[in-house]
């Protein structure tokens, strides 16, 4: 048999194999009852006939992701392998983290040799994670942001925003001449205001390791250099937190909001501390709702003097009931 005959025979065998495979595939995609076309119903996990409705296969495995995306950008942002990244960690959460517990996967204590080995691994892991001064700086600052945010009860989105602001300040070389704690505190203060969950400068100072004047000075500096778009704090945004800590009812909170809206319409809020206005509104609303809340209690919660509360209280009532 010549080479040409051998190649022709191999070609014929290959064609027959493809034809058989195609026929088998068509049979699998054909309804056994009416020979209609089969379709996959991903919503119910079934394979059904488009003509007679016979369910050929059910409880099929969905091999797609557990999330939904409505456009290409959202799909790219949700696609992942492993844990999601976060700006709250200096390495975006991509490095290995070795736990401090000296236990195995079953909760059993490690032997002495294994504990020494794990301690060496932790040491080298920490050295590799912070290989230069910039990463060490970032790790310290983000840890400080997380600590202060926890003390202030700020949500995760505020911490993420503060981390991004600090990274921008570090990237644009705004830190020379300023402390890490000062810039971190200013970034958190700015992020809280951007997210609509502001904290007063005094509240932030109480949990920070730097003085009030340095926080205010650094906040103004990074806001100007990074062109941060931060609107003036709205007194109404403080009301829910003050009302919750003082145990004021929903009716009292609603009246406090009404008092502040009237004050804004009359223009008496201009040039006054939003924290003081919010505290006075909550105090006035509690009296109008016949709830027992003292000026001292409001002062402790809002970190505002009782004199300020009394002054703003009278101004709010005069705007609500003009003579």
């Amino acid at each position: 048999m010549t080479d040409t005959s051998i190649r022709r025979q191999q070609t014929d065998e290959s064609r027959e194999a493809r034809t058989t495979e195609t026929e088998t595939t068509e049979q699998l995609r054909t309804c056994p009852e009416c020979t209609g076309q089969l379709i996959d119903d991903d919503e119910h996990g079934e394979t059904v006939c488009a003509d007679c409705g016979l369910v050929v296969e059910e409880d099929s495995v969905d091999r797609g992701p557990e999330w939904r995306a409505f456009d290409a950008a959202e799909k790219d942002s949700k696609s992942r392998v492993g844990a999601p990244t976060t700006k709250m960690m200096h390495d975006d959460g991509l490095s290995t983290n070795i736990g401090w517990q000296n236990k195995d996967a079953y909760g059993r204590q490690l032997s002495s040799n294994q504990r020494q080995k794990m301690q060496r691994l932790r040491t080298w892991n920490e050295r590799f994670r912070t290989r230069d001064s910039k990463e060490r700086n970032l790790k310290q600052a983000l840890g400080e942001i997380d600590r202060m945010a926890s003390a202030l009860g700020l949500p995760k989105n505020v911490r993420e925003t503060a981390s991004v602001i600090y990274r921008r300040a570090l990237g644009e070389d705004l830190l020379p001449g300023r402390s890490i704690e000062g810039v971190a505190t200013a970034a958190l203060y700015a992020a809280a205001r951007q997210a609509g969950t502001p904290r007063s400068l005094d509240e932030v100072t109480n949990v920070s390791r730097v003085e009030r004047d340095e926080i205010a000075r650094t906040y103004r500096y990074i806001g100007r250099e990074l062109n941060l778009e931060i609107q003036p704090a709205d007194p109404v945004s403080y009301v829910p937190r003050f009302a919750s800590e003082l145990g004021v009812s929903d009716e009292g909170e609603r009246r406090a909001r009404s008092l502040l809206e009237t004050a804004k319409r009359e223009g008496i809020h201009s040039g006054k501390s939003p924290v003081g206005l919010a505290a006075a509104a909550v105090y006035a609303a509690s009296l109008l709702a016949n709830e027992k809340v003292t000026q001292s209690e409001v002062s402790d919660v809002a970190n505002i003097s009782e004199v300020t509360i009394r002054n703003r209280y009278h101004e709010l009532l005069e705007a609500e009931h003009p003579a």
Side-chain angles (χ1 to χ4, degrees):
M1 184 178 292
T2 63
D3 293 342
T4 304
S5 301
I6 294 174
R7 284 197 296 271
R8 185 180 297 111
Q9 182 178 358
Q10 290 175 343
T11 303
D12 293 340
E13 291 176 353
S14 177
R15 185 181 297 110
E16 290 177 1
R18 286 198 299 269
T19 303
T20 303
E21 183 179 354
T22 302
E23 292 175 351
T24 304
T25 303
E26 290 178 353
Q27 290 175 358
L28 290 174
R29 300 302 301 173
T30 302
C31 176
E33 293 290 336
C34 67
T35 66
Q37 182 183 4
L38 298 181
I39 59 174
D40 295 322
D41 185 353
D42 295 330
E43 183 178 354
H44 299 92
E46 298 173 343
T47 301
V48 299
C49 175
D51 296 334
C52 67
L54 176 68
V55 178
V56 178
E57 183 182 354
E58 60 181 351
D59 296 331
S60 59
V61 178
D62 183 3
R63 304 188 184 278
E66 82 284 2
W67 42 261
R68 294 190 301 170
F70 300 98
D71 54 43
E74 187 177 3
K75 181 179 180 181
D76 292 339
S77 66
K78 288 186 175 182
S79 297
R80 64 185 185 275
V81 175
T85 58
T86 173
K87 294 297 181 183
M88 294 164 57
M89 299 180 68
H90 71 283
D91 52 12
D92 291 342
L94 295 174
S95 64
T96 301
N97 187 26
I98 302 176
W100 57 268
Q101 299 95 338
N102 288 317
K103 295 181 180 181
D104 62 12
Y106 299 99
R108 295 189 295 257
Q109 292 290 339
L110 300 179
S111 65
S112 176
N113 291 336
Q114 287 176 321
R115 285 199 299 271
Q116 292 178 5
K117 180 181 179 181
M118 293 306 298
Q119 188 56 43
R120 286 196 300 271
L121 287 174
R122 291 190 191 99
T123 301
W124 281 106
N125 182 59
E126 199 65 24
R127 290 174 181 173
F128 281 123
R129 289 180 66 185
T130 53
R131 287 171 292 181
D132 54 36
S133 59
K134 183 176 180 180
E135 289 189 356
R136 288 192 293 271
N137 178 315
L138 200 56
K139 182 180 179 182
Q140 179 183 346
L142 298 184
E144 192 71 5
I145 288 173
D146 192 55
R147 180 190 66 80
M148 292 186 293
S150 297
L152 293 169
L154 291 171
K156 183 179 178 181
N157 67 308
V158 175
R159 306 180 194 200
E160 290 273 3
T161 304
S163 302
V164 172
I165 292 175
Y166 188 89
R167 287 172 184 271
R168 288 184 58 194
L170 184 63
E172 298 190 19
D173 204 25
L174 301 183
L175 267 71
R178 293 169 179 81
S179 67
I180 294 175
E181 291 83 358
V183 179
T185 307
L188 183 63
Y189 179 63
R193 292 187 60 173
Q194 279 188 332
T197 55
R199 297 294 185 267
S200 67
L201 201 54
D202 290 328
E203 289 178 293
V204 175
T205 304
N206 289 338
V207 301
S208 178
R209 293 191 172 100
V210 294
E211 298 297 327
R212 187 180 192 276
D213 291 342
E214 182 181 348
I215 297 172
R217 186 168 56 249
T218 307
Y219 165 71
R220 290 192 295 268
Y221 175 70
I222 65 171
R224 181 175 64 252
E225 294 297 322
L226 298 179
N227 295 320
L228 299 178
E229 296 183 1
I230 303 175
Q231 299 296 327
D234 189 349
V236 176
S237 60
Y238 292 93
V239 170
R241 183 161 56 89
F242 291 167
S244 175
E245 294 184 19
L246 291 167
V248 176
S249 65
D250 293 341
E251 173 65 17
E253 184 178 339
R254 186 187 63 78
R255 292 200 175 195
R257 292 174 181 272
S258 176
L259 287 171
L260 290 173
E261 293 297 335
T262 302
K264 286 192 285 187
R265 284 198 304 270
E266 297 295 327
I268 68 171
H269 69 294
S270 179
K272 297 181 174 62
S273 167
V275 180
L277 281 172
V282 171
Y283 173 67
S286 66
L287 296 182
L288 293 174
N290 295 321
E291 298 179 19
K292 295 181 180 180
V293 176
T294 65
Q295 292 181 6
S296 176
E297 292 172 336
V298 178
S299 174
D300 292 339
V301 168
N303 202 16
I304 293 291
S305 69
E306 295 183 29
V307 175
T308 301
I309 294 174
R310 282 195 292 272
N311 291 339
R312 300 291 92 81
Y313 160 73
H314 291 302
E315 292 172 357
L316 289 173
L317 292 183
E318 288 175 2
E320 184 75 13
H321 304 288

